[in-house]
Amino acid sequence: MTKVFRAALVAALLALGPSGAVHADARYLAARDAARAGDLARLQQLALEPGDSVLNAYIDYWALSIRLARKEDVDADYVVFVAREEGRLLAERARRDWITASGRTQRWAVILAEAPMLRQPDQESNCWFWQARMAMGDASARDEAAALWNTSSDIGEACKPVIASLANGRPVGDFWSRARRLLEQRRFDAVRGTLANLPPGQGVAAKSLDEALNTPSRFLARQPLGEERSQRELTMLALVRLAQSDYPTAAARVESLGNRLRSDERAYISAVLGWQAARSNQPEALSWYRAAGNIAMSDELRAWQARAALRMQDWKALRSTIEAMGAEQRAQAEWLYWYGRALAAGGQKEQARALYERVVGDASFYAMLAGDELGRRFAVPAGARPPDDAEMTRVSRDIGVQRALALFREDARLDAVREWNWAMREADDRFLLAAAETARREQLYDRAIYSAERTRKEHDYALRYLVPFYDKVAPAAKLQQLDVYWVYGLMRQESRFVGVARSSVGAQGLMQVMPATAAYVAKKTGMAYHPSRITDMDTNVALGTAYLRMMLDRLDEHEAMAAAGYNAGPGRVPRWKAPGVTEGAIFAETIPLSETRDYVKKVMANTVAYTALLTGEPQSLKARMGQVAPDGPQSPEALQALSSMPAGDGPAPSE
């Protein structure tokens, strides 16, 4: 909608209001435009207009936000606003804004009063709270924040002073260990921030650090290993960076260093090389890990040690690797399942069954696989009682649901989703099921699935696995000779059936088709196509299913491989095969791109759930995953065909 058209629409709606009053929806639209323009006077004028709308609070929230950004004294108005909105999403958002603004001006008393009132404090708000308590002499705040030192997630402005406080008094080795963990996650700015906090006399030159991170080959060629700790640690960082971008060169460089590396240094860099060899499916990955010995590793490195063993079907190595994991990592569903498989391969059948029992029970990838090992194919459980009129009324009267639906009508999807999710956060099963049914009736299929998936005891798989647009999807699937349940499994993962969905990389529509892919498929199939029609439902489904057919044709008619190709591009997939025949589940677990690995698991689990739901017959995920054969020699024409196809909508090659 152009700005001119929107302005004309708002003006027309304003003209319809009696006695100059603004129609509620038009007032919201006008207020949203004013908020985007920073027009406080217009917001204040609109707030005074008569009209009872569930969205009125947004006008007040936006006005407060502008005044807060202008550093006006708004404390009294914030107190009134959050009291009026207490328990609702806007109270939470307003408090977070107020806490952030107060933190930037070191108004610790405001934070100490308001931070404990947050219902769902995020990491940034927690850090402001810890800062405020530290500033007021509360020693326990530092203890509570201690876990932040070991996190590798992104931290914002509020957490940097907390990290600096946690750095005080730590041994130098802690700084370098943290830098290594962060570098493994490619958190380059966090590496720099960590090393900037090194104790006096132990720091490193910013220029040397930048060279080690940005041009590791040049750093390694120019800088002698030496005896000084900082120099040796920078060499380790440079070797990690080189391994991430050029594994063969990094491996050769490590070999050339020979005995100049100390035993602990060689052990760590061997683990890093094992990690990168495993991610690139090199057969020597386990040899590198063996060279690392029994050193402590990050969860990332340990997981890839397990995947390397899986890919080689070395069950003994897999067992010992999982046993070396920390308790939290070892308790994850994937490692419980594969540990069970390793035990079973060693003859410990009963111990394996006990582990499968811990995993089985829902519609997730490893729960289904565990069920297969127990001889229980996945079957859809009996559905919960449908919501009655009283339960539907209860949902319809919820202010969060009312606001969400109103925002969806105004095409304010981001705020609408926030309101909907907030309304679901502490809901009981009966409310969730009624909310899911409400969303289904409103054709908000993604919110229906979101709500239905949150139930704890009463489940309705027909709401979790909706089948909208069947009259469009089934004929397109049939035309391309595709299993319609697989198409739905993929579509559910791609867009949750949001027809206007658009990913961060530009994929669009129900099947999240990239513009380049759309043009390629249209050309190959002779389809009449214009880029403006990419989100048209018929066009999008036709393009997506045709591309899926191409994936199957080029990737051994294997659904898991084709799903991987749909997400990451088909040219990568043959490189992910093992040298021998492997289970499809092993192929999925050893995909080197984390987004694609998760995507394939979810698509295939979705497919089994849809098949079980719509056929009424129990299904085996293990059978559906099948086996993946090693690649044989491919003709130049076949290789060219794969490389010429556009990449998928998934992760960039640098992941």
Side-chain angles (χ1 to χ4, degrees), residues 3 44 80 163 188 197 222 257 273 289 307 327 370 379 443 508 511 576 581 641:
K3 291 182 178 179
Q44 291 172 330
V80 172
I163 289 288
F188 308 127
N197 288 320
R222 287 158 48 98
L257 287 170
L273 291 171
Y289 273 115
R307 293 185 183 113
Q443 298 183 29
Q508 299 177 53
M511 297 196 70
W576 299 342
V581 176

Side-chain angles (χ1 to χ4, degrees), residues 231-477:
Q231 185 63 30
R232 299 186 75 88
E233 293 284 3
L234 284 177
T235 298
M236 290 295 102
L237 297 186
L239 286 170
V240 173
R241 280 295 292 127
L242 185 59
Q244 289 173 329
S245 60
D246 186 352
Y247 158 72
T249 300
R253 173 68 69 174
V254 169
E255 294 293 357
S256 72
L257 287 170
N259 292 332
R260 283 181 289 169
L261 289 174
R262 296 169 182 161
S263 60
D264 61 319
E265 294 168 338
R266 176 168 285 279
Y268 172 68
I269 205 61
S270 292
V272 168
L273 291 171
W275 168 43
Q276 291 303 313
R279 292 186 78 248
S280 55
N281 289 332
Q282 299 302 316
E284 66 270 21
L286 281 180
S287 296
W288 281 115
Y289 273 115
R290 280 192 288 270
N294 296 321
I295 66 165
M297 297 183 200
S298 66
D299 286 358
E300 171 78 359
L301 268 63
R302 191 67 77 186
W304 276 103
Q305 184 180 10
R307 293 185 183 113
L310 251 184
R311 191 168 184 271
M312 301 305 292
Q313 299 182 63
D314 186 337
W315 299 105
K316 184 177 180 181
L318 177 62
R319 175 178 175 172
S320 62
T321 299
I322 296 174
E323 289 173 347
M325 291 177 175
E328 186 175 343
Q329 185 180 21
R330 197 168 60 203
Q332 294 169 1
E334 57 263 51
W335 304 126
L336 286 173
Y337 171 79
W338 289 116
Y339 189 45
R341 290 288 304 277
L343 291 177
Q348 295 178 264
K349 306 290 187 181
E350 289 306 311
Q351 294 91 327
R353 288 183 64 85
L355 290 169
Y356 302 145
E357 291 286 2
R358 292 174 60 185
V359 180
V360 77
D362 59 32
S364 63
F365 186 79
Y366 279 110
M368 289 181 175
L369 287 177
D372 284 332
E373 296 302 319
L374 291 167
R376 304 177 206 157
R377 294 187 169 203
F378 177 77
V380 174
R385 172 178 59 81
D388 58 31
D389 290 345
E391 290 166 336
M392 296 296 291
T393 299
R394 178 185 169 206
V395 168
S396 70
R397 290 176 176 172
D398 184 271
I399 186 64
V401 171
Q402 290 176 3
R403 285 179 177 174
L405 295 177
L407 288 163
F408 276 119
R409 287 192 289 271
E410 299 303 336
D411 197 26
R413 181 170 179 80
L414 179 60
D415 281 338
V417 169
R418 286 172 174 166
E419 286 281 4
W420 185 274
N421 294 356
W422 182 263
M424 303 301 123
R425 78 190 196 288
E426 294 178 351
D428 58 62
D429 284 0
R430 298 310 305 171
F431 186 96
L432 290 167
L433 291 170
E437 176 59 18
T438 298
R440 187 196 66 79
R441 294 178 185 180
E442 294 283 341
Q443 298 183 29
L444 300 170
Y445 301 119
D446 63 318
R447 293 308 91 200
I449 293 169
Y450 176 86
S451 299
E453 283 191 325
R454 292 178 65 85
T455 57
R456 291 169 287 278
K457 294 182 179 180
E458 297 188 61
H459 309 305
D460 188 334
Y461 275 74
L463 286 170
R464 290 188 180 194
Y465 294 91
L466 293 168
V467 193
F469 320 121
Y470 192 81
D471 60 327
K472 309 282 188 183
V473 177

Side-chain angles (χ1 to χ4, degrees), residues 33 96 133 419 495 575 648:
D33 288 344
R96 288 181 184 175
R133 290 166 59 194
E419 286 281 4
S495 67
R575 301 196 300 269

